[in-house]
Amino acid sequence: MVSRVERGPVADWFWTIDRLFMITFILLMGIGFMLSFAASPAVAERLNLDSFHFVKRHAAFMIPALGVMIGLSFLSPRQVRRTAMVILAVSLLMMVAALFFGIEVKGARRWITIAGISIQPSEFMKPAFVVICAWLFAEHARQPEIPGNLFAIILFGIVAALLVAQPDLGQTILTSVVWGGMFFMAGMPWLWITLLGGIGVAGVFGAYLTLPHVAGRIDRFLTGEGDTFQVDTARQAIIRGDWFGQGPGEGIVKRIIPDSHTDFIFSVAAEEFGIFFCMVLVSIFGFLVLRGLSHAFRERNDFNRFAVAGLVLLIGTQSMINIGVNLELLPAKGMTLPLISYGGSSMIAICVTAGFILALTRRRPEKRAQERSLFRAAHGVPAE
């Protein structure tokens, strides 16, 4: 344990970090590792791999991911902005490169291989995009003559165009929802809300008309006809799990879910540990979002407020989409459950998001002094 009287970077970090946030992120990583034992062996065996192939890789991803999260949590808000700028520039360039040189999987080019390592640049783009847009919104709020909102709109257009080009409608919708939430916090006029909402609806309708795989997924969701094997099997796993599950390693339906270790790991959790466990898992994600929004509500700095709110909305919305697909409340979409599903790019990118959140919610001396002065002003307490 680090003493309160100690001084130094580590001691200052330990006593200023939001430890509940830190514990929650690590808890989710631990749950994900536990569920990898339940979800991945059957997939590995179908691919003629060692039964614990994905478990070992999941553990290997956790080590750098945890290091990234803790390392980024030491940054100041200014360093967070600079780091996000670098990550965003590199990830956008890699997304462009993926369109021309990337690996094509099921008609989409979302991955690029560097030094034998497959990377999904869009995963790293998301937290950096949120932070930079928060900065642009904050600059416009601080100095209205700075066209920060216009630059944020242009940046959103670039990101959305690259995601549609891959194509990846799910990530486009996720990014749009989070960006729209931040823009709303920044004081978006109702005219803009109506206009951008209409553009969003038109975009989804256009994707339905022009992208066959999008139309197929929406049609299968609405009619229940066609290849619905994976979502139907996931539903059976959830039903079989009942309230308290079949027990660790006792799941049977999970063995025939093709993506049980990634997109449908929530169904595996339901079959083996029950609906009650899944409710606890949903509550953990809910706690993250509510605690983050609580921090944002108390925050006086516009950049910190917009960034923290956007980052927790990113995690919350992504988890909601993944769980919604598992419960057949949303059309099937390949999107991981944050810190739970298997996937190196996803795990490390979510830890980048977590590191930014931890860095921006730290209690700093100047922040505490500002809060004390605001408290005195509100309650009529004379200055010391």
Side-chain angles (χ1 to χ4, degrees):
M1 181 63 69
V2 181
S3 172
R4 284 185 179 271
V5 299
E6 290 184 29
R7 287 294 179 267
V10 175
D12 290 343
W13 170 84
F14 182 81
W15 291 113
T16 58
I17 202 78
D18 187 321
R19 290 187 289 280
L20 274 178
F21 257 144
M22 173 73 80
I23 292 170
T24 305
F25 286 128
I26 294 175
L27 175 63
L28 284 173
M29 293 179 73
I31 293 173
F33 182 61
M34 176 190 72
L35 290 177
S36 70
F37 281 93
S40 64
V43 179
E45 290 166 7
R46 284 199 300 270
L47 298 174
N48 295 319
L49 300 171
D50 174 66
S51 296
F52 294 104
H53 171 80
F54 292 111
V55 175
K56 295 173 183 175
R57 288 179 63 86
H58 192 104
F61 292 142
M62 286 177 64
I63 298 172
L66 190 60
V68 165
M69 180 176 68
I70 293 175
L72 291 176
S73 70
F74 278 84
L75 301 181
S76 66
R78 177 177 294 182
Q79 291 170 329
V80 168
R81 289 198 300 268
R82 292 175 176 175
T83 303
M85 183 69 76
V86 173
I87 294 174
L88 181 62
V90 173
S91 60
L92 289 178
L93 289 174
M94 291 175 67
M95 287 173 70
V96 173
L99 296 176
F100 297 96
F101 311 108
I103 304 168
E104 184 171 339
V105 179
K106 298 179 181 179
R109 291 183 178 272
R110 304 169 188 169
W111 299 81
I112 189 169
T113 302
I114 299 177
I117 301 173
S118 294
I119 300 172
Q120 189 174 0
S122 60
E123 291 287 352
F124 297 92
M125 173 276 299
K126 292 184 294 185
F129 169 75
V130 168
V131 170
I132 297 304
C133 283
W135 173 60
L136 292 171
F137 290 143
E139 287 300 298
H140 180 78
R142 186 173 64 88
Q143 300 183 48
E145 65 273 13
I146 297 177
N149 287 1
L150 176 61
F151 289 151
I153 292 172
I154 294 171
L155 179 58
F156 169 71
I158 294 170
V159 166
L162 288 173
L163 289 172
V164 171
Q166 291 185 343
D168 194 338
L169 184 62
Q171 296 280 25
T172 307
I173 292 174
L174 170 62
T175 306
S176 301
V177 169
V178 174
W179 181 84
M182 294 169 62
F183 204 173
F184 182 79
M185 288 185 62
M188 181 199 313
W190 282 104
L191 176 63
W192 277 102
I193 295 174
T194 304
L195 178 62
L196 294 174
I199 292 173
V201 172
V204 173
F205 186 68
Y208 177 80
L209 294 177
T210 58
L211 300 174
H213 76 283
V214 172
R217 288 181 176 182
I218 294 176
D219 289 341
R220 287 193 295 272
F221 173 72
L222 294 176
T223 65
E225 299 175 356
D227 183 11
T228 59
F229 172 78
Q230 185 147 244
V231 291
D232 290 343
T233 308
R235 184 184 67 245
Q236 292 173 19
I238 294 172
I239 293 172
R240 186 172 185 271
D242 205 5
W243 284 103
F244 297 102
Q246 298 295 315
E250 299 299 321
I252 297 175
V253 180
K254 69 173 186 180
R255 297 181 179 276
I256 57 175
I257 302 176
D259 297 323
S260 61
H261 62 319
T262 53
D263 303 341
F264 290 90
I265 197 167
F266 185 81
S267 299
V268 176
E271 183 180 16
E272 298 214 342
F273 299 98
I275 296 173
F276 182 78
F277 173 83
C278 291
M279 291 171 63
V280 172
L281 188 58
V282 171
S283 299
I284 295 173
F285 283 111
F287 169 78
L288 277 178
V289 174
L290 292 176
R291 187 166 183 81
L293 293 178
S294 175
H295 270 287
F297 180 77
R298 297 193 306 268
E299 183 59 61
R300 300 296 175 180
N301 180 281
D302 285 333
F303 165 67
N304 286 11
R305 179 166 69 253
F306 298 153
V308 171
L311 291 168
V312 296
L313 283 176
L314 181 64
I315 294 177
T317 306
Q318 181 169 331
S319 61
M320 184 179 69
I321 292 173
N322 176 277
I323 294 170
V325 169
N326 277 258
L327 297 176
E328 288 193 273
L329 298 176
L330 295 172
K333 174 67 196 81
M335 190 170 292
T336 59
L337 187 58
L339 297 177
I340 303 295
S341 298
Y342 169 83
S345 291
S346 174
M347 183 182 297
I348 295 175
I350 292 295
C351 281
V352 170
T353 306
F356 285 163
I357 292 172
L358 292 170
L360 294 170
T361 55
R362 285 178 60 188
R363 300 187 303 275
R364 292 179 170 82
E366 65 275 12
K367 185 175 177 180
R368 291 197 297 271
Q370 183 186 48
E371 290 174 349
R372 284 196 297 269
S373 64
L374 289 169
F375 176 83
R376 292 192 185 101
H379 292 82
V381 179
E384 295 177 355

